[in-house]
Amino acid sequence: MKRNITSLFLVLCVLCVAEQTECYRILAAIVTPSYSHQIPYRALWLELHKRGHEVVYVTTNPIPNINSPNFTQIDISDTYKGIRALNFVETRFNGESWLQMAEEKVASLSIYFAEGMYNNTELKKMYAPDSDAKFDILMTEYLYGPAVLGLAHRFNVPIIGLSSLGLPLINEHILGGQVLPSHESTWEMEANTGPNLPFLKRLWNFVSFWRFMHFLYTEVLSANQQLAEKYLGPLPPLIDIMRNTSMIFVNQASAITPARPQLANVISFTSFHIQDKLPPVPKDLQKFVDGAKNGFIYFSLGSNSRSSHLPVEIQRVFCDTFATLPYRVVWKYEEDFPGKPDNVYTAKWLPQQSILAHPNVKLFIYQGGLQSSEEAIHFGVPVLGFAIFADQDYQVARMEALGIGKRLEIRTVTKDELKSNIIELITNKEYKQRMINTRNLMHDTPYDIVKNLAWWTEHVIRTKGAPHLRSSITFQPWYQRYDLDVIVFLTIVAFLIASSALNLIAKLIVYLHRQISSPQKLKTN
Ligand SMILES: *[C@@H]1O[C@H](CO)[C@@H](O)[C@H](O)[C@H]1NC(C)=O
Ligand SMILES: *[C@@H]1O[C@H](CO)[C@@H](O)[C@H](O)[C@H]1NC(C)=O
Ligand SMILES: *[C@@H]1O[C@H](CO)[C@@H](O)[C@H](O)[C@H]1NC(C)=O
């Protein structure tokens, strides 16, 4: 018996070893200098490393305390310098739309970020023509600037694209997916989408969105091409490299995202960045929240926007309203705060997840960032959203539509409005209950999402780029995609038939008229 068990064990061991996948070399490059663009994928890099793969991670926010010869981090945080002067709160108050902001700033910034990567000394050594560095895959973010993809050509590897928020539609379009400017899943149109929009609104959406796409397809793409070639030498068109994308991992939870047609090689994930072991809260803050007998509100505009950039009169609206509430308030505020009410605690940086996990927290007032929405859902805290930019209008509209939060406009908020919404969200228990239902829905998955993405990554490498999952629509000319040539042809045919028929009828009427009127004329003559 004992021998049988031993041999069974041996067989299992052999099977285990045979099952063991090969060790791959993974090049991960996330060049956007923003905390919320870096943390969503961290769990994936760590999982891939844990599976025995070697990871080279180019990042603006290196993961602390990693000491493994097989996990190299290349720090390109210098590019934070280039965005320090950005003031998203100000652009909100100027009434700039996302498409305007993207045309003015985001497109040129994406080139600046990519240059921060290409010009890095350590990375330069790896991609130099005489370097013998080898990789099996490139994993990089898909936003508005594909310059980084030059590396896929340099190392001759398949690509997995990543998005920390719903995929910008330029990428969807290049890969053969659907572009639906007026559909509620399109965050780039901010609050302009929805079901049953009037014709003129859809017309406006259509024109402004395709104008933007044209700008991306021409100016942005060629600027990216130039930048990549500056460092790598001549390359095939970046758009052709993009068409070869093997897979896209998109941060979007089906529980909170409107359903839409999706390409076969797009895989969703969510809430990777939520930690199991939460960091401790500073001592004085711990005392403050523990002592909140009626509970407390947490208020933060996230890592990219600052409360201290709000106009003074809007800061006063918040301050005066908070002072009249029976709740305590923890406020992420980036400067000193003279005249702060007694029930308010402020700090420059706060351990957000630990605060949202506190049993006394009643409400999260926030800017509608996707990672923050995921945290609110995970910890079951209703939200009050004040969108600032990018996908935030869309996110807070989703929270309201799902009945797990409300949204207000930061430019025009009044004390009465703010107070009544806070009271409603805290005292009406249905918001909390729906939040918990949403969380249960989000957690009800058939597998571990991080391991699932790691498996797909290995699958792409094993299958040399998973070509079977790509859509051939990507290679069709634009007019064939939607059969526009057929529609135009049929329209012309229908027009010709209708106009000849009308012509014929008109002639017939004239003829009959003459026939009827001529004998009369004869008679009177
Ligand atoms: C690093 O990877 C190599 C194979 O590429 C493996 O033999 C080695 O054990 C790994 N080391 C660590 C610390 O994971
Ligand atoms: C590239 O890096 C070098 C230093 O390594 C610096 O002198 C140069 O200005 C950088 N170029 C750009 C375009 O950032
Ligand atoms: C795209 O992939 C195909 C086959 O996998 C390859 O022949 C072609 O050179 C690739 N194109 C680019 C621009 O990388």
Side-chain angles (χ1 to χ4, degrees), residues 29 93 249 282 426:
F93 279 83
F249 297 161
I426 293 181

Side-chain angles (χ1 to χ4, degrees), residues 152-153 156 236-244 464 467 470 475:
H153 180 78
N156 190 22
L238 285 176
I239 190 167
D240 290 340
I241 300 180
M242 264 186 105
R243 288 193 167 119
N244 270 357
K464 308 248 176 307
R470 295 180 211 163
F475 298 107

Side-chain angles (χ1 to χ4, degrees), residues 287-298 322-330 343 358-363 381 422-423 425-429 432:
K287 222 172 116 193
F288 184 80
V289 291
D290 285 346
K293 282 200 211 72
N294 296 325
F296 73 94
I297 296 168
Y298 171 52
F322 291 158
T324 66
L325 292 173
Y327 315 107
R328 289 187 172 177
V329 178
V330 177
N343 64 335
H358 196 281
N360 288 350
V361 67
K362 296 281 184 212
L363 177 67
V381 186
I422 289 176
I423 301 285
L425 283 161
I426 293 181
T427 53
N428 184 344
K429 296 292 170 213
K432 174 92 183 171

Side-chain angles (χ1 to χ4, degrees), residues 23-25 49-50 52-54 67-71:
C23 297
Y24 300 126
R25 276 179 59 87
H49 174 248
K50 205 171 97 189
H53 306 309
E54 201 174 326
N67 295 308
S68 162
N70 291 352
F71 200 109

Side-chain angles (χ1 to χ4, degrees), residues 48-123:
L48 286 167
H49 174 248
K50 205 171 97 189
R51 289 175 170 232
H53 306 309
E54 201 174 326
V55 178
V56 173
Y57 176 33
V58 183
T59 176
T60 58
N61 297 65
I63 309 174
N65 307 322
I66 292 205
N67 295 308
S68 162
N70 291 352
F71 200 109
T72 310
Q73 301 198 79
I74 297 183
D75 182 348
I76 54 163
S77 54
D78 264 2
T79 49
Y80 267 109
K81 280 202 300 251
I83 59 161
R84 212 164 281 151
L86 283 188
N87 184 338
F88 295 113
V89 172
E90 192 178 71
T91 51
R92 179 82 184 182
F93 279 83
N94 291 342
E96 252 183 80
S97 76
W98 172 249
L99 296 194
Q100 283 170 313
M101 208 198 298
E103 271 195 36
E104 277 165 30
K105 303 197 186 87
V106 176
S108 57
L109 276 177
S110 70
I111 289 165
Y112 170 75
F113 300 157
E115 179 136 43
M117 177 196 83
Y118 278 120
N119 198 30
N120 177 279
T121 325
E122 215 176 324
L123 191 75

